[in-house]
Every structure is written in C-alpha cells, then in structure tokens.
Amino acid sequence: VEKILGHSAGALRVRYWARGKRSAWILEEIGKTEPITTGIVVDSGAIARIDVLIYRESRGWEVRYPFFTDQFKGATLTAMNELDSHINGISGATMSVRALMRLARIALLLDAKAGETRAQR
C-alpha cells in the first residue's frame, strides 16, 4: 500500500465490508492538500463502483461526478499493481485524479488480500 501511495499509509485500520466475491472499502488520500474520502466497491477483482464521499479541496471537485468515476468500472490490477484501464484526467484536477487512481489500486490490492483470507476460512 505504501508503495502505491508513495508515503506512509498512516492508518492502522481500514474499514471494509465483504460478502462473497464483493467488497466495499472506505479509503482516504490527500488530493493537493486535503483528504478525499471515497467509497469503492470491488466485485470479483474489478472495480464495480467508486464514489467520492467527501471532497474537501477548493479545486478539482469534478472528480465527484459520474463522467469521471464511471471510467473506473471494470478496472483490475496488472501484475505490476497498475490499473489495466486508461483513466482520462481533468484539467485543473491532476492531483485529485491521481489520488483517486491510487485509491482504486489500493482497493483492488486490499480486496485481493482479503479474498485470500476469506478463502482460507
């Protein structure tokens, strides 16, 4: 997770819910200066939905809208923990776009690890 973030994760606990092959994650990452709180649903190893729950920045708020978040639907991780889908940026929201891309990668990675744990039970 810290490799994806490029800094210490800081949190000791991550909130998530899981049922079968579907999980929901509440994750935060700094955009430019403020945290962006997201809800990310992963189904069978792919992003099913991503919603910006709380956006605190003064600019870049366009990342909250479906025209942007819908790009993540169906995205999975490559072997190098990168998204396999191209995500178009938004002029003036580069830091927020990058933050959401990192959060999507983290949700997919955590889902895979949690899925391994669920399968062992």
Side-chain angles (χ1 to χ4, degrees):
V1 169
E2 290 179 356
K3 191 172 184 177
I4 291 172
L5 289 175
H7 59 79
S8 172
L12 297 175
R13 296 181 186 201
V14 175
R15 287 180 267 169
Y16 81 99
W17 296 263
R19 180 176 292 153
K21 294 184 178 185
R22 195 169 176 101
S23 63
W25 302 84
I26 304 296
L27 301 171
E28 281 190 339
E29 172 62 333
I30 301 294
K32 184 173 182 180
T33 59
E34 301 294 328
I36 301 169
T37 305
T38 60
I40 303 172
V41 177
V42 179
D43 192 359
S44 301
I47 299 283
R49 180 174 179 171
I50 183 168
D51 287 306
V52 176
L53 304 176
I54 304 171
Y55 190 82
R56 299 170 182 91
E57 299 281 0
S58 60
R59 294 192 166 92
W61 45 266
E62 297 91 346
V63 298
R64 299 180 302 174
Y65 294 114
F67 80 85
F68 177 73
T69 58
D70 284 351
Q71 297 180 84
F72 289 89
K73 288 182 182 174
T76 62
L77 281 182
T78 67
M80 299 297 293
N81 289 331
E82 297 291 335
L83 292 177
D84 71 342
S85 301
H86 175 74
I87 305 298
N88 289 317
I90 299 172
S91 180
T94 303
M95 302 296 277
S96 297
V97 168
R98 289 180 183 163
L100 264 64
M101 290 173 66
R102 286 191 300 270
L103 291 172
R105 292 169 58 200
I106 290 168
L108 289 165
L109 179 66
L110 293 174
D111 174 74
K113 296 297 181 187
E116 291 172 7
T117 302
R118 289 190 305 265
Q120 293 173 0
R121 291 182 185 170

